[in-house]
Amino acid sequence: MNMSGKARAHTNIALIKYWGKADESLIIPMNNSLSVTLDKFYTETKVTFSPEYTKDILVLNGEEVNEEQSKKIYQFMNLVRERSHTSHYAYIESVNYVPTAAGLASSASAFAALAAACNEALNLNMSDKDLSRLARRGSGSASRSIFGGFAEWEKGHDDETSYAHAIDAQGWEEDLSMVFVVINNQSKKVSSRSGMSHTRDTSRFYQYWLDHVDEDIASVKEAIRNKDFKHLGEVIEENGLRMHATNLGAQPPFTYLVPESYEVMDIVHQCRKAGYPCYFTMDAGPNVKILVEKKNQQFIIDALLKSFNKEQVIASDITNTGIEIIE
Ligand code: ADP
Ligand code: DP6
Ligand code: CO
């Protein structure tokens, strides 16, 4: 008998970044992180287990992924087999409604959707907490994509204690949106995984990062409680830049940012000067994400469209929907 399940998970963008692992194999992070889950970008994944398969196969966006690039998937599926006492291999069909490996968090929606699809296919009846722990093993940021709205990944200290949960923002997320400026949607040269590992191991600024991230988490939670957009924005912008500064302190140094990234940062500053509060953040790629109140979204978009074309500027609501079983 074939066992199958299909799930959808949305990407999330960290406002306070996860950057560095305490345990590379279990994916335990060095610090807590906090994100918003986005309506526009998601992954849909169907997984089918069968005794007839002789290996795991991933078909991503209609194309079979080669063995070299499927290593993360094989490891993840081995974990699923271990905990479900199944020996069957799986056929995985996944579609990313987000550019893959471009610093737009495809790994987050991908492994959250895969965890949920496996849970469904194998009737594992996992709680959201356990799904978050499982998704984490595929990609750290995926632990947060189990949930909608604001989510915090508690770093914990082992496999049991490291997982994300939703943060109640009393509906504030409905007033906010994120504007994406897609500078490059091609696959990046330095994956999040290798970038953060190199930085954690060699950056002269890494300890400084660790020394301040707990304060940032506390400030963001306070800003959410008070629905204080200016406070929220100031903290997240600083935190994101500090993450990128750690990369410049690595030996050898590197950066994900390009001239256009700085151009967008400058436009954000100009919008603020003009009286429209908005704040940027960047991940492991050159693309810039701008957090803004919906009432000011159009002003920001218009400002961006003076320098970028329509296809490059994408606005997304924050969704309250976590993982969903579809079909
Ligand atoms: P991103 O910024 O997109 O999260 P990462 O470097 O963190 O980039 O992760 C990209 C990797 O995630 C891809 O190379 C691939 O291994 C994996 N991935 C992305 N989408 C999927 C998917 N739908 N199914 C399985 N694996 C995926
Ligand atoms: C900069 O979750 O993609 O986007 O755990 O190695 O798969 P792995 O890395 P990943 O890293 C995301 C890094 C980030 C910040 C964040 O999302 O918190
Ligand atoms: Co990723």
Side-chain angles (χ1 to χ4, degrees):
M1 193 187 74
N2 288 349
M3 292 157 283
S4 69
K6 186 169 180 183
R8 179 187 301 128
H10 293 260
T11 60
N12 71 76
I13 294 297
L15 302 179
I16 302 298
K17 308 293 183 191
Y18 147 52
W19 200 239
K21 294 176 179 67
D23 185 317
E24 302 244 345
S25 94
L26 291 174
I27 310 199
I28 311 295
M30 291 294 288
N31 58 270
N32 288 23
S33 54
L34 194 153
S35 60
V36 286
T37 302
L38 295 158
D39 184 50
K40 268 267 169 71
F41 298 125
Y42 54 93
T43 298
E44 290 181 356
T45 299
K46 180 178 181 185
V47 58
T48 305
F49 290 87
S50 164
E52 283 166 23
Y53 301 148
T54 53
K55 60 174 196 159
D56 296 316
I57 291 187
L58 169 63
V59 177
L60 177 55
N61 298 333
E63 278 184 44
E64 189 171 327
V65 175
N66 67 32
E67 290 201 6
E68 178 59 30
Q69 288 186 334
S70 298
K71 290 213 170 109
K72 281 184 196 170
I73 290 287
Y74 298 155
Q75 276 176 10
F76 185 84
M77 297 310 289
N78 286 340
L79 270 176
V80 170
R81 278 186 281 273
E82 242 169 63
R83 65 167 300 157
S84 60
H85 311 290
T86 309
S87 56
H88 301 341
Y89 288 101
Y91 185 76
I92 305 158
E93 294 163 274
S94 187
V95 178
N96 279 343
Y97 296 89
V98 54
T100 303
L104 293 168
S106 69
S107 68
S109 51
F111 283 99
L114 183 57
C118 290
N119 182 42
E120 175 72 10
L122 299 170
N123 284 314
L124 301 177
N125 285 316
M126 292 168 76
S127 62
D128 280 355
K129 169 181 152 182
D130 285 343
L131 281 170
S132 174
R133 290 175 47 229
L134 176 61
R136 187 198 81 228
R137 301 290 294 273
S139 181
S141 53
S143 65
R144 301 183 305 242
S145 266
I146 303 300
F147 307 95
F150 288 91
E152 180 180 10
W153 175 14
E154 303 272 358
K155 66 179 188 256
H157 52 82
D158 59 11
D159 178 49
E160 279 294 318
T161 53
S162 188
Y163 55 87
H165 57 83
I167 293 179
D168 182 7
Q170 300 152 53
W172 192 33
E173 61 281 0
E174 280 156 36
D175 299 341
L176 308 179
S177 78
M178 200 168 248
V179 178
F180 285 69
V181 186
V182 182
I183 291 161
N184 186 343
N185 63 9
Q186 299 301 301
S187 207
K188 56 199 170 199
K189 289 189 212 82
V190 183
S191 67
S192 308
R193 190 155 296 182
S194 62
M196 72 172 80
S197 166
H198 175 61
T199 295
R200 193 221 104 123
D201 290 347
T202 69
S203 178
R204 294 177 188 279
F205 308 151
Y206 194 70
Q207 188 57 45
Y208 184 80
W209 162 261
L210 289 180
D211 289 344
H212 292 276
V213 70
D214 289 344
E215 291 157 36
D216 289 350
I217 290 265
S219 299
V220 161
K221 286 176 162 171
E222 188 186 66
I224 293 172
R225 268 195 305 277
N226 299 331
K227 301 192 180 181
D228 182 342
F229 187 70
K230 182 164 180 277
H231 187 197
L232 176 72
E234 286 174 358
V235 176
I236 69 151
E237 203 171 272
E238 259 193 54
N239 181 272
L241 285 173
R242 206 179 302 126
M243 180 206 109
H244 286 273
T246 65
N247 302 337
L248 294 177
Q251 300 169 79
F254 71 103
T255 184
Y256 289 107
L257 306 178
V258 300
E260 291 97 318
S261 315
Y262 291 94
E263 202 183 320
V264 178
M265 293 180 228
D266 194 45
I267 294 170
V268 167
H269 283 149
Q270 287 168 24
C271 288
R272 287 217 289 266
K273 250 200 198 147
Y276 294 86
C278 58
Y279 299 87
F280 58 75
T281 188
M282 290 81 65
D283 293 280
N287 304 316
V288 183
K289 298 101 186 185
I290 303 166
L291 191 67
V292 63
E293 291 158 295
K294 270 186 195 157
K295 62 181 182 200
N296 294 328
Q297 176 183 299
Q298 197 54 46
F299 184 88
I300 311 303
I301 292 175
D302 290 343
L304 290 163
L305 287 176
K306 288 181 191 145
S307 305
F308 296 90
N309 60 44
K310 277 207 308 288
E311 293 70 40
Q312 290 179 283
V313 180
I314 307 169
S316 173
D317 287 358
I318 294 165
T319 181
N320 270 316
T321 308
I323 40 166
E324 302 162 274
I325 297 303
I326 47 182
E327 288 178 16

